Amino acid sequence: ISSIGKDSLEGLQSLVDLDLSRNLISYIPDSISSNTIRYLNLNYNRISYVSNFTFFMLPRLSGLGVVGNRFTTIWRRSIFDANPYLERLDLSDNMWRCDCTDDNMLDFYEFVTLEPNKKEESYNLICNSPLNVIGQTWLEACYFTWNPTEKAGNVDNLVLFIIIMIVGLSMCLVLVNAVRHSMKRRLNSIQIQRERQVEEARDRLRQLRIRAEQEALCNAPDPRDLISPPSYDE
């Protein structure tokens, strides 16, 4: 199927679920009419546009699937003004262009994802352009644009974190230098004490040597006592 007519559903009073998935449909005519249809499955077609009048004449519509189509422009919640029973929207796998500065994008995101009237999971809404947000969810791509105060808070927190890190590193450097100087003074003190002890030991050895020499001199015999008296023959 490549197209459907505006009056295609008229006269089908028992039609509740209509599955038109996996066809070649590229356009849904405005004001397609049915008073009974509740779920319309348009998944995996080639549709790229809907207007405020596309589903205007489907008053009992409660579920709509457009997975895998070619939508790029974010819809408006006014598209479903005439569908008070809408409970489910399947919007994944489309080529959504995420213009986070467009107020309509946030408005439609809240319409689709916020409780208690949640219609789609936020993780199914994926950006396909621009390049810097490809593959991100709508919320990931636009979070700080939609919540600028949190961005400012995050910037302030980042600045505070950097300041704390700088102060902490400075204190660590001061502490390391203080420990290094303390260890250096301690090593110098130990070295001086060791040199003093060595010098004192040398002094004691010199004194002991001098005392030993003096005692040796005092105890040495008189040379005259070593000469024996002349014999009788002499």
Side-chain angles (χ1 to χ4, degrees), residues 183-216:
M183 291 181 64
K184 187 175 181 180
R185 288 195 300 269
R186 178 64 177 167
L187 290 174
N188 289 337
S189 176
I190 293 173
Q191 183 67 24
I192 292 172
Q193 185 177 1
R194 184 175 299 170
E195 291 176 355
R196 185 183 299 115
Q197 290 174 348
V198 171
E199 189 63 30
E200 290 176 354
R202 289 176 179 173
D203 288 340
R204 285 196 296 271
L205 287 174
R206 283 195 296 268
Q207 292 174 3
L208 289 173
R209 189 181 299 113
I210 292 171
R211 185 178 301 171
E213 291 176 352
Q214 290 175 349
E215 290 179 354

Side-chain angles (χ1 to χ4, degrees), residues 3 47 50 82 108-109 132 136 158 165 213 224:
S3 64
I47 308 167
V50 292
F108 187 71
Y109 175 82
N132 62 315
Q136 296 183 20
L158 179 60
M165 288 294 295
E213 291 176 352
R224 292 174 297 180

Side-chain angles (χ1 to χ4, degrees), residues 10-22:
E10 290 187 0
L12 302 176
Q13 299 300 321
S14 299
L15 183 62
V16 176
D17 295 338
L18 177 59
D19 187 351
L20 295 173
S21 63
R22 301 185 185 279

Side-chain angles (χ1 to χ4, degrees), residues 214-228:
Q214 290 175 349
E215 290 179 354
L217 289 175
C218 292
N219 295 329
D222 191 338
R224 292 174 297 180
D225 295 338
L226 298 176
I227 301 174
S228 59

